[in-house]
Amino acid sequence: GPSLNAHDKLAYQNAMELKSMLKDPDSLKLYDGSFVREMLDDNGNVMYTYTFINYGGANSYGANTQGQAVFKNGEYIMVS
């Protein structure tokens, strides 16, 4: 298949990490609007790379919920 660029690879890795964190990993559903954003310093160098993943999944009670997970430089930092 086609090769992924660096941002696509990072988003895929972060989505797999998110999946492993869910109570029911098989319930993960990815939604449109997920993206990778680089934050640059004044010289144009990448300081941080954020991945925003819009997702749904089953909670502890079996209800489907939606949220956005945020990763910074490939490390999970929060869910909203």
Side-chain angles (χ1 to χ4, degrees):
S3 62
L4 301 176
N5 66 36
H7 285 172
D8 291 340
K9 287 179 185 177
L10 180 60
Y12 177 79
Q13 291 168 351
N14 293 160
M16 291 300 98
E17 182 177 343
L18 174 63
K19 180 177 181 174
S20 73
M21 294 167 35
L22 296 178
K23 295 278 185 189
D24 179 3
D26 292 333
S27 71
L28 177 66
K29 180 170 174 134
L30 300 176
Y31 295 109
D32 289 339
S34 300
F35 61 95
V36 175
R37 174 75 41 103
E38 291 180 337
M39 302 302 290
L40 307 177
D41 65 16
D42 292 337
N43 297 319
N45 300 312
V46 176
M47 295 187 322
Y48 309 109
T49 303
Y50 289 95
T51 307
F52 299 87
I53 300 175
N54 295 321
Y55 76 98
N59 65 16
S60 298
Y61 303 103
N64 289 323
T65 62
Q66 291 183 339
Q68 184 178 65
V70 181
F71 292 78
K72 178 181 175 185
N73 294 334
E75 297 293 324
Y76 172 78
I77 60 171
M78 68 177 276
V79 67
S80 61

